[in-house]
């Protein structure tokens, strides 16, 4: 393990606060989305600097607002100035019309505009310039996400000697998808300029390595435990899996507050004795919202006895509304909601309650507490924090989690959740039916297990394990001239267990979450199922590591 001697410099596209200009003046708001939520929660008392875009074109009003926002934090905030054109071609363009759909396995949604690539390189250099002004040799520069894959390369060119890490919050695609990217080699090479490269899940890491092997055959890959070591042209990088978590204690603590309980009771009163199914997402085509609505419609068609007894509350937070794909999605979702409500509504019962706005934390927690079923069915997702937040807020242990096998949270939570393929509407409908009929005892034992996993794999552990993977400066820079790769591998190696994708790996026994997961998969502690045959079979298979 390596001690970070200096500060942590976090670098992400957006700062945790956004400057919004209104007719009445300029205001600060919290950034929404998974990355900001997780990092803000995990980075409470550590000194450092957070570098990112403040959400507005720069003027003299920004700096005082950032200074004010930093007063309540242990780190300072530094903004990167972006022009309107940067935002259009770098953020909306390259990041969200190319990398986002491609990395979520949706290449037909990509718009491979070459101008986007030029701006992407330029904006990555702008971020790197601010980092270069800020970082000292002992600092650790931690770059987040797909917007900033080229920054380490620019920083190295500028002679910055600090250690650098990169964490990808979204999935990494398989070589057949990744190789469609016209700029695949420069991106892979730029990523290898980081000292540590982290992914959400084993599948993402193994896709990355397969891409290296196919597209950069000169790269040397050494399979170590718990991380891999990758070398290119005299540089070495640690490549690891670091599933992100939430601040479990904070969610649990807040969910216990009497005001939240009262608010949850109020929500429940509105749906009477119905089974309350909850979906909470950014309005994004990767989240599988139309597919979820179609599955719910199938449930109502196939099981008429459920009509009048089950209600879906679908909360969506508006997102990336300037991009055409997102505008179409909103229309598609709203049309489906009105079709389902048109087909099934009866006096006193509306099947789908649709909320299109950013909820405050209290309201969100009240919905999590009130729900009987958390329905988290993205078509593809790096992790999905909603699944974990739902479990943390389920202090009464009465909810059931249904989660997509294509979210990072799927493999991690499969011992207690019902795992579904979101494209299989029939399976999702059956899972909803089964969850609605599950015994209280089974719900409790599953939710207890889920809460233990989420509590253990929390955001603090995510940060700790990433920082522990950082090789010491001497090892990275070859200070001693002879640091072998085995020196980078300081883990205590335990007996082999099945990894989340079935292959056998050795695990660090010092990682209690992994041990917990392993014990959860053992037949002794596996809960009994009171479900349909297919779902039962699926759960047994997934518990046996066959997915
Ligand atoms: P996101 O795609 O933003 O994050 P997710 O992990 O689900 O997705 O996080 C969404 C966050 O927004 C959650 O904290 C949730 O509470 C909040 N949220 C969603 N809808 C809301 C609403 N209507 N009102 C208020 N808050 C709402 C990216 C990756 C994910 C990865 C995270 C973190 O796409 O796969 O889990 O980063 O790494």
């Amino acid at each position: 393990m390596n001690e970070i001697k200096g500060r942590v410099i976090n670098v992400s596209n957006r700062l945790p606060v956004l400057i919004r200009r209104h007719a009445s003046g300029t205001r600060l708001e919290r950034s929404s989305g998974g990355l900001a939520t997780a990092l803000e929660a995990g980075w409470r008392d550590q000194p450092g600097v957070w570098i990112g875009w403040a959400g507005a074109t720069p003027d003299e009003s920004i700096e005082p607002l950032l200074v004010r926002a930093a007063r309540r934090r242990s780190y300072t905030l530094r903004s990167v100035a972006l022009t309107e054109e940067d935002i259009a071609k770098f953020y909306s363009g390259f990041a969200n019309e190319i990398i986002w759909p491609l990395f979520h396995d949706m290449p037909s949604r990509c718009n491979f505009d070459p101008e986007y690539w030029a701006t992407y390189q330029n904006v990555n250099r702008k971020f790197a310039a601010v980092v270069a002004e800020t970082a000292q040799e002992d600092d650790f520069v931690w770059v987040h996400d797909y917007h900033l894959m080229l920054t380490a390369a620019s920083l190295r060119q500028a002679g910055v000697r600090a250690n650098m890490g990169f964490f990808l919050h979204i999935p990494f695609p398989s070589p057949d998808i990744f190789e469609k990217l016209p700029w695949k080699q420069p991106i892979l090479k730029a990523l290898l300029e980081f000292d540590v490269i982290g992914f959400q899940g084993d599948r993402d890491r193994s896709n990355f390595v397969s891409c290296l092997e196919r597209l950069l055959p000169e790269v040397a890959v050494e399979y170590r435990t718990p991380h891999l070591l990758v070398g290119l042209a005299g540089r070495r990088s640690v490549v690891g899996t670091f599933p992100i978590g939430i601040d479990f204690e904070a969610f649990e603590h807040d969910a216990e507050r009497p005001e939240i309980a009262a608010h949850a009771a109020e929500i429940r009163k509105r749906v009477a004795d119905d089974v309350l199914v909850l979906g909470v997402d950014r309005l994004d085509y990767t989240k599988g919202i139309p597919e979820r609505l179609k599955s719910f419609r199938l449930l109502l068609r196939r099981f008429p006895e459920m009509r009048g007894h089950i209600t879906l509350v679908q909360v969506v937070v508006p997102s990336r509304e300037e991009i055409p794909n997102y505008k179409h999605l909103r229309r598609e979702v709203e049309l489906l909601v009105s079709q389902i409500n048109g087909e099934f509504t009866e006096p006193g019962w509306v099947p789908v309650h649709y909320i299109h706005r950013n909820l405050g934390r209290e309201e969100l927690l009240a919905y999590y507490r009130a729900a009987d079923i958390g329905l988290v069915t993205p078509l593809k997702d790096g992790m999905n924090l909603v699944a974990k937040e739902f479990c943390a807020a389920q202090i009464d242990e009465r909810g059931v989690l249904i989660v997509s096998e294509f979210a990072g949270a799927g493999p991690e939570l499969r011992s207690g959740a019902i795992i579904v393929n979101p494209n299989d509407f029939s399976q999702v409908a059956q899972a909803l039916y089964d969850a609605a009929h599950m015994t209280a005892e089974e719900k409790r034992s599953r939710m207890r297990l889920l809460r233990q996993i989420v509590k253990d794999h929390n955001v603090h552990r995510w940060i700790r394990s990433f920082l522990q993977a950082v090789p010491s400066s001497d090892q990275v820079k070859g200070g001693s001239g002879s640091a072998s790769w085995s020196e980078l591998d300081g883990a205590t190696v335990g007996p082999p267990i099945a990894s989340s994708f079935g292959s056998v790996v050795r695990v660090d026994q010092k990682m209690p979450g992994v041990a917990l997961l392993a014990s959860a998969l053992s037949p002794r502690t596996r809960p009994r199922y009171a479900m349909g045959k297919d779902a039962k079979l699926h759960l047994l298979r997934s518990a046996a590591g066959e997915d």
Side-chain angles (χ1 to χ4, degrees):
M1 175 198 153
N2 176 45
E3 292 288 324
I4 307 293
K5 293 194 195 106
R7 303 161 302 169
V8 175
I9 315 260
N10 259 317
V11 191
S12 62
N13 172 50
R14 281 179 193 258
L15 286 171
V17 290
L18 286 178
I19 312 255
R20 288 252 190 252
R21 301 202 198 284
H22 297 271
S24 52
T26 310
R27 238 190 13 228
L28 267 187
E29 288 175 14
R30 285 176 80 103
S31 291
S32 63
L35 188 158
T37 310
L39 264 181
E40 268 267 83
W43 197 16
R44 258 196 247 115
D45 307 314
Q46 222 165 344
V49 186
W50 191 326
I51 294 173
W53 179 52
T57 40
D59 69 14
E60 66 289 347
S61 67
I62 287 191
E63 278 316 311
L65 282 172
L66 294 182
V67 170
R68 207 174 72 204
R71 271 191 217 131
R72 285 180 293 108
R73 295 173 162 87
S74 60
Y75 45 87
T76 52
L77 300 166
R78 278 204 69 178
S79 73
V80 178
L82 298 183
T83 64
E84 299 276 355
E85 191 186 357
D86 289 339
I87 293 151
K89 294 183 179 166
F90 151 78
Y91 173 69
S92 299
F94 197 84
N96 287 330
E97 287 183 37
I98 299 179
I99 301 297
W100 178 267
L102 192 75
F103 282 29
H104 286 88
D105 293 352
M106 300 181 186
S108 61
R109 288 185 183 264
C110 292
N111 173 13
F112 293 109
D113 186 333
E115 280 191 32
Y116 291 172
W117 170 238
T119 311
Y120 184 76
Q121 294 173 87
N122 194 24
V123 171
N124 269 251
R125 282 193 288 268
K126 286 190 182 181
F127 274 80
V130 179
V131 177
E133 277 169 25
T134 312
Q136 288 152 16
E137 187 154 341
D138 284 342
D139 292 340
F140 176 64
V141 178
W142 190 358
V143 177
H144 295 267
D145 235 358
Y146 58 101
H147 314 86
L148 300 172
M149 293 186 284
L150 312 179
T151 41
S154 299
L155 287 166
R156 302 268 181 229
Q157 274 164 18
V160 174
R161 288 182 57 82
N163 277 346
M164 298 171 206
F166 175 80
F167 184 77
L168 185 69
H169 290 254
I170 66 172
F172 197 90
S174 68
D176 286 353
I177 300 274
F178 183 77
E179 71 182 0
K180 294 180 196 299
L181 189 62
W183 312 282
K184 53 201 173 217
Q185 269 104 355
I187 286 181
L188 286 180
K189 283 186 182 154
L191 284 172
L192 293 179
E193 297 284 346
F194 287 99
D195 303 304
V196 184
I197 306 161
F199 297 95
Q200 298 272 25
D202 293 350
R203 177 163 37 198
D204 307 307
R205 185 179 72 166
S206 99
N207 282 344
F208 176 68
V209 172
S210 304
C211 287
L212 291 177
E213 284 168 344
R214 184 181 299 184
L215 299 167
L216 297 178
E218 66 275 31
V219 165
V221 180
E222 198 168 318
Y223 289 79
R224 296 260 167 193
T225 301
H227 307 307
L228 307 181
L229 297 162
V230 170
L232 176 69
R235 275 208 53 74
R236 304 174 282 220
S237 309
V238 176
V239 178
T241 299
F242 307 93
I244 198 167
I246 60 165
D247 188 349
F248 179 89
E249 256 89 32
F251 268 93
E252 182 185 50
H253 176 262
D254 288 352
E256 276 166 352
R257 280 173 26 214
E259 316 85 271
I260 304 288
H263 196 156
E266 191 56 39
I267 293 169
R268 284 228 56 95
K269 214 159 80 192
R270 273 181 260 145
V271 295
D273 290 333
D274 291 3
V275 174
L276 199 166
V277 182
L278 179 68
V280 175
D281 308 84
R282 274 190 311 100
L283 186 51
D284 194 291
Y285 50 82
T286 62
K287 302 290 180 185
I289 303 168
E291 292 76 7
R292 187 178 312 160
L293 288 165
K294 287 175 190 166
S295 300
F296 187 69
R297 179 169 65 189
L298 188 63
L299 169 87
L300 299 178
R301 284 183 181 161
R302 195 170 280 175
F303 301 103
E305 70 275 21
M306 296 301 288
R307 296 179 199 165
H309 301 291
I310 190 163
T311 300
L312 170 63
V313 174
Q314 177 61 55
V315 186
V316 296
V317 60
S319 178
R320 304 176 192 170
E321 288 175 308
E322 63 292 350
I323 302 173
N325 269 334
Y326 287 76
K327 283 197 195 112
H328 300 155
L329 176 68
R330 179 171 177 185
R331 277 203 293 277
E332 187 187 356
V333 166
E334 291 180 353
L335 186 64
L336 268 166
V337 169
S338 65
Q339 280 172 351
I340 296 170
N341 285 342
E343 187 175 339
F344 297 104
T345 297
E346 296 166 0
W349 176 65
V350 179
V352 183
H353 295 201
Y354 172 67
I355 303 172
H356 179 261
R357 61 168 191 271
N358 207 345
L359 297 189
R361 187 176 164 97
E362 295 207 344
E363 207 176 355
L364 187 65
L365 278 166
Y367 273 104
Y368 284 148
R369 257 201 86 166
D372 297 292
I373 301 174
L375 187 55
V376 182
T377 53
L379 303 177
K380 188 92 184 160
D381 216 334
M383 176 53 65
N384 196 297
L385 297 179
V386 169
K388 296 191 169 185
E389 293 169 3
F390 173 73
C391 298
Q394 279 286 322
I395 50 179
D396 308 319
E397 297 174 338
R398 33 167 289 280
V400 180
L401 176 68
I402 299 177
V403 65
S404 163
E405 61 182 300
F406 306 123
E412 205 187 343
L413 302 180
R414 69 178 172 180
S415 49
I418 300 180
I419 304 296
V420 292
N421 174 350
N423 303 306
D424 186 344
F425 305 159
S426 177
Q427 189 196 34
V428 176
Q430 183 66 49
L432 280 168
Y433 183 87
D434 291 339
H437 291 87
M438 197 180 275
T439 64
E441 185 202 350
E442 182 173 350
K443 287 190 212 172
R444 200 173 314 109
S445 68
R446 283 168 176 260
M447 189 43 77
R448 197 165 287 169
L449 186 55
L450 286 172
R451 285 168 53 75
Q452 266 180 304
I453 297 169
V454 176
K455 182 177 183 178
D456 189 47
H457 290 201
N458 60 31
V459 69
H460 308 291
R461 176 171 157 180
W462 170 68
I463 292 178
R464 222 174 30 243
S465 60
F466 191 91
L467 297 183
Q468 278 173 354
V470 179
S472 72
S473 303
D474 284 352
Q475 286 169 320
V476 167
K477 291 162 196 153
S480 66
S482 61
S484 84
W485 282 7
S486 58
E487 286 172 52
L488 300 177
D489 174 21
T492 309
V493 177
I497 63 159
S499 81
S500 39
F501 291 97
S503 62
V504 170
V505 294
R506 289 181 182 276
V507 296
D508 180 357
Q509 292 300 287
K510 285 188 288 193
M511 296 170 92
V514 177
L516 181 76
L517 200 63
S519 73
L521 296 176
S522 88
R524 244 181 325 115
T525 53
R526 205 183 292 149
R528 293 213 317 279
Y529 308 111
M531 325 182 93
K533 197 163 114 283
D534 284 352
K536 240 193 249 176
L537 204 65
H538 181 78
L539 272 158
L540 286 169
R541 278 208 193 111
S542 80
E546 288 172 23
D547 273 356

